[in-house]
Amino acid sequence: MNKRLLLTHAKPFYEKNFLLELEHAIDVAAEAHKGQKRRSGEPYIVHPLSVAKTLIDWGMDIDSVIAGVLHDTVEDTDLTLEKIESLFGEDVAFLVDGVTKVSQARAGMQDLTTYLPQTKDNLSKLLIAIGHDVRVVIIKLADRLHNLETLQHKSRPKQIKIARESLEVFAPMADRLGMGRVRVQIEELAFSYLEPQEFKRLKNLIRKRLGKSTRKLGVVRDEVEKELNAQGIKHEINGRVKSIYSLHKKLQKVDGNIDDIYDLMALRVIVDTREECYKVLGVLHALYQPMIARIKDYTSAPKPNGYQSLHTTVITRSKQIVEFQIRTHEMHEYAEQGLAASFHYNEQKSSKDYTRKKGSAVLPGHLQWITQLQEIASKLRSGEDIPTSQLSIDLFGDRIFVYSPKGDIYNLPEGAFPLDFAYLVHSDVGKHANGFKVNGKIHPFDKPLQNGDVIEVMTRKNSQPKQAWLDNISTTHARNKLRSQLRKLGLVESMTNAAAIIREKTKRKKDR
Ligand code: MN
C-alpha cells in the first residue's frame, strides 16, 4: 500500500492540516524504516501504514492514526522519542512510547506458552496499565491484527506463539473494550493457525448446517417481518452466523454435539429505540414458544464490557429452535466497535481532551476497571460528552507491576513488601529469603516496593521464616503461606522438644 492509497481511504472529514501532518509522519516513518523489509519481502513501511489505515477505519482520532504510522520507529529504527515529540507533539510521542513499552513488556514475558494463567492475566492488566490511555491498547490491537493477517510469512513456531498469544491476551482485550468485531477477527485468524484442521472441519460443518437451515430460517424471518410491519415497528432484520472459534469453544462445553447448539445462526433485529426492543420481544413471544431459561436482558443489565442486547430463543411451529438478538442501532454500533467508536473524528479537533495525566491515577479510589469501563460505556451510549480524565483510564491505579531479574512480571497491590513478592514467586523462595536486591541495590524487608522495580530474592537453604516477618507482609497470599510455615516450624520445634524431654526423662530413669 502506498501513501496515496492511504490518503484516499482517509475520509473527507479530516482537515487539511491533518492530511499534511499525516503525510509528514508517513515521510518520516518511511525514511526511518528505509531498507527494512518484512518477512514477506515487502518494504517495512507497508506494516505501519496498514495499521494506520485500520485506525482510520475504526474512526480513531488524528493522534492515534499518526502514532500508528510511527508505532515501530522507536523500537526498530534510529528515530527517538524526543524527535517524534518535537515533530508531532507530546500526545503522539506519548502514544508511540506506550505502544513501544507494551512490546517491550511482551518480550519480557518470554514464551507465553509456558506461562501460568495468572501471568497471562498479568499481561492483560499490563497492557492496560502501561497503556494508561486506552488508545495505546487500541493501536496495539490494530498492530496485532495486521501481524495476524500476514502471519503466513512467519515460521510455524512463530505462528503458533503469536496465534496463542492473540487468543489469550489480545482477543480478551478487544472484548474488554467492547470491540466485538475486532475480537472475532483476531479469534478467527488466530484459531485458523493454532488448529488449522479443526478450523477447516468446523467451517465445513457450519456450511453444511447452514445449507439445511437457511431456508427454514427464511420462513421464520418472513413471518417475523410481516408481523413487525403489521405492528408498525421500523426495523432491520438479518442473520448472524456464529464464528468458528466461538462454535469451537461452545462445542467443548456440550461434548462436541452440534445439535445442542441453538445459536449457530441467529436472527438479529435492529430497531430505533429501547422500547421497540421490548415490543419486538413481545411480538416474538406471541408468535412462538419462548424457551424461558434462554431469555437474557442485556439492555437493562449490560455485560461488563458494555454490550447491550435482548436475547431470546424460541421454538418455531416447525419445531426449529431459533435465537433472536434484539437491539437498537446504537447498541449495535457499540457491540461491533466498542470503545474505539468514542474516538470519533468529530472530536478530533479537541484531541487535547484525550490527554492523559502522566503517572497519576486519574480516577479516584480503588474502582474496578470494569466499573469504570461500564460508566464510560453507558455515557457513550447516551451520547454524553466524556471528560478527558475518563478516557485516560488508569485502570489499575492501586496495583503495581514488578519484575523478576529474568523479566517475569508480577502484579502486587500498592504498598506490597519484598516478602510479598518472594511468596508470590514461590512459597519456598519466601521461606528461605535471606535478603533482597531491588534494582540492583540491597533493599530492607520493611520497605515497600515501587511500580517497575526489579527484585532479586537472595535465598539461603538453611534460612528459616520468622514470626516478625508478619509485620512486613501485606498480601493475604504471603500471610497465609508464612503462617502455615511458622505453624509447621513450631510443630517441628515442639516435637523435637518433646522428644528431647522424653529422652531426657527416660535417661534419668535409667540412670537412677
Ligand atoms: Mn508493529
Side-chain angles (χ1 to χ4, degrees):
M1 190 171 62
N2 61 30
K3 204 195 289 181
R4 188 165 306 278
L5 190 59
L6 181 80
L7 290 177
T8 51
H9 277 84
K11 310 206 172 79
F13 46 72
Y14 285 112
E15 290 182 7
K16 230 179 191 167
N17 57 357
F18 166 56
L19 290 182
L20 284 177
E21 207 179 342
L22 180 62
E23 221 166 338
H24 186 199
I26 293 171
D27 288 342
V28 170
E31 183 61 30
H33 287 296
K34 202 172 176 180
Q36 294 178 351
K37 287 223 158 36
R38 299 203 93 211
R39 280 286 290 264
S40 61
E42 289 175 305
Y44 194 88
I45 189 69
V46 168
H47 165 65
L49 288 186
S50 303
V51 171
K53 186 193 166 290
T54 301
L55 292 167
I56 290 173
D57 290 344
W58 290 352
M60 295 296 289
D61 64 307
I62 302 174
D63 288 340
S64 300
V65 174
I66 290 179
V69 172
L70 297 164
H71 82 272
D72 276 330
T73 54
V74 172
E75 205 179 6
D76 298 340
T77 77
D78 294 336
L79 201 63
T80 63
L81 209 55
E82 290 70 38
K83 184 78 183 163
I84 289 176
E85 186 169 339
S86 76
L87 290 175
F88 303 102
E90 202 192 350
D91 288 354
V92 170
F94 173 82
L95 292 174
V96 173
D97 188 37
V99 174
T100 309
K101 277 184 179 152
V102 172
S103 317
Q104 284 164 351
R106 220 165 49 74
M109 298 294 294
Q110 297 148 353
D111 187 359
L112 207 85
T113 54
T114 59
Y115 269 77
L116 305 165
Q118 175 220 341
T119 329
K120 278 177 229 149
D121 191 41
N122 280 355
L123 182 53
S124 320
K125 290 173 183 172
L126 186 89
L127 279 173
I128 296 180
I130 280 187
H132 211 78
D133 181 321
V134 176
R135 290 178 298 172
V136 171
V137 180
I138 295 177
I139 297 168
K140 206 57 212 168
L141 286 172
D143 180 35
R144 175 51 55 115
L145 196 57
H146 188 247
N147 286 335
L148 282 170
E149 281 163 356
T150 52
L151 205 54
Q152 74 268 26
H153 304 291
K154 297 267 182 188
S155 67
R156 185 68 190 139
K158 262 263 166 75
Q159 288 177 342
I160 292 174
K161 183 176 181 244
I162 291 174
R164 178 162 294 145
E165 192 186 54
S166 299
L167 275 186
E168 287 169 352
V169 179
F170 288 92
M173 284 302 312
D175 189 48
R176 284 183 188 192
L177 299 179
M179 300 169 69
R181 197 188 308 150
V182 177
R183 173 183 61 82
V184 170
Q185 284 176 315
I186 291 176
E187 283 175 351
E188 298 294 83
L189 279 164
F191 186 57
S192 75
Y193 280 97
L194 216 50
E195 294 186 41
Q197 251 105 54
E198 183 66 359
F199 183 83
K200 261 183 224 147
R201 187 182 77 85
L202 292 179
K203 199 173 170 182
N204 286 329
L205 193 62
I206 289 180
R207 199 186 300 136
K208 267 186 221 152
R209 284 272 156 165
L210 286 186
K212 276 189 213 158
S213 60
T214 308
R215 199 150 42 94
K216 280 201 233 163
L217 214 54
V219 175
V220 175
R221 185 187 160 144
D222 290 346
E223 277 175 357
V224 172
E225 288 233 272
K226 211 171 128 196
E227 191 55 33
L228 290 177
N229 287 335
Q231 304 243 357
I233 302 170
K234 215 174 96 203
H235 67 277
E236 269 172 39
I237 184 164
N238 46 58
R240 92 93 183 84
V241 179
K242 201 171 190 60
S243 79
I244 294 171
Y245 181 65
S246 62
L247 173 64
H248 165 77
K249 274 201 302 192
K250 206 145 191 183
L251 279 174
Q252 288 181 323
K253 278 191 208 154
V254 296
D255 291 328
N257 190 354
I258 195 162
D259 292 325
D260 292 338
I261 291 172
Y262 302 136
D263 64 343
L264 193 58
M265 183 156 175
L267 286 175
R268 198 173 267 162
V269 185
I270 303 175
V271 291
D272 287 334
T273 67
R274 175 190 295 256
E275 288 69 39
E276 285 172 331
C277 291
Y278 290 106
K279 277 190 197 161
V280 173
L281 188 74
V283 167
L284 293 174
H285 287 184
L287 274 176
Y288 310 115
Q289 171 75 46
M291 293 168 81
I292 299 297
R294 296 180 62 91
I295 302 171
K296 288 177 198 128
D297 186 352
Y298 297 118
T299 66
S300 58
K303 287 191 183 180
N305 66 3
Y307 174 87
Q308 284 189 308
S309 215
L310 272 178
H311 291 190
T312 186
T313 304
V314 300
I315 304 168
T316 68
R317 286 177 206 120
S318 59
K319 299 291 166 223
Q320 196 183 3
I321 295 173
V322 183
E323 180 178 297
F324 281 89
Q325 300 176 348
I326 311 158
R327 52 177 76 155
T328 64
H329 290 282
E330 284 90 323
M331 291 175 193
H332 183 59
E333 184 179 308
Y334 189 83
E336 298 276 300
Q337 281 189 276
L339 219 55
S342 64
F343 299 95
H344 217 252
Y345 52 85
N346 287 334
E347 279 109 302
Q348 65 163 327
K349 272 185 233 151
S350 54
S351 71
K352 272 277 173 287
D353 292 350
Y354 295 123
T355 48
R356 68 292 154 203
K357 293 191 179 118
K358 263 184 212 155
S360 66
V362 174
L363 285 172
H366 307 275
L367 296 168
Q368 288 295 306
W369 74 276
I370 286 178
T371 319
Q372 302 176 7
L373 211 55
Q374 254 177 337
E375 281 174 12
I376 294 175
S378 78
K379 280 187 181 149
L380 289 173
R381 279 193 303 271
S382 64
E384 211 178 308
D385 268 343
I386 295 162
T388 333
S389 54
Q390 294 197 13
L391 283 176
S392 41
I393 324 171
D394 189 343
L395 297 165
F396 294 89
D398 51 345
R399 309 287 293 182
I400 58 170
F401 294 88
V402 296
Y403 302 79
S404 76
K406 274 194 270 169
D408 297 345
I409 297 163
Y410 294 85
N411 172 353
L412 285 165
E414 212 164 36
F417 295 96
L419 276 170
D420 291 301
F421 170 79
Y423 276 98
L424 195 57
V425 173
H426 197 281
S427 50
D428 282 344
V429 174
K431 186 178 178 181
H432 300 300
N434 189 47
F436 300 96
K437 272 189 190 168
V438 171
N439 306 323
K441 285 188 201 130
I442 298 289
H443 189 100
F445 279 67
D446 62 354
K447 191 177 165 193
L449 299 169
Q450 302 292 321
N451 199 25
D453 278 350
V454 178
I455 304 142
E456 188 187 340
V457 186
M458 294 174 287
T459 54
R460 198 182 281 166
K461 235 194 176 148
N462 48 14
S463 177
Q464 297 286 16
K466 296 166 187 62
Q467 185 83 27
W469 284 5
L470 285 167
D471 294 330
N472 302 325
I473 267 177
S474 83
T475 58
T476 324
H477 172 80
R479 192 174 307 271
N480 289 342
K481 293 284 178 201
L482 173 58
R483 283 229 172 94
S484 97
Q485 288 171 354
L486 288 172
R487 250 198 317 275
K488 267 188 208 152
L489 271 177
L491 202 61
V492 171
E493 264 166 33
S494 40
M495 285 308 281
T496 322
N497 290 345
I501 290 166
I502 290 167
R503 256 200 318 275
E504 187 64 23
K505 295 217 166 168
T506 326
K507 200 177 154 203
R508 275 192 209 156
K509 274 183 186 166
K510 274 187 189 166
D511 284 349
R512 235 180 248 163

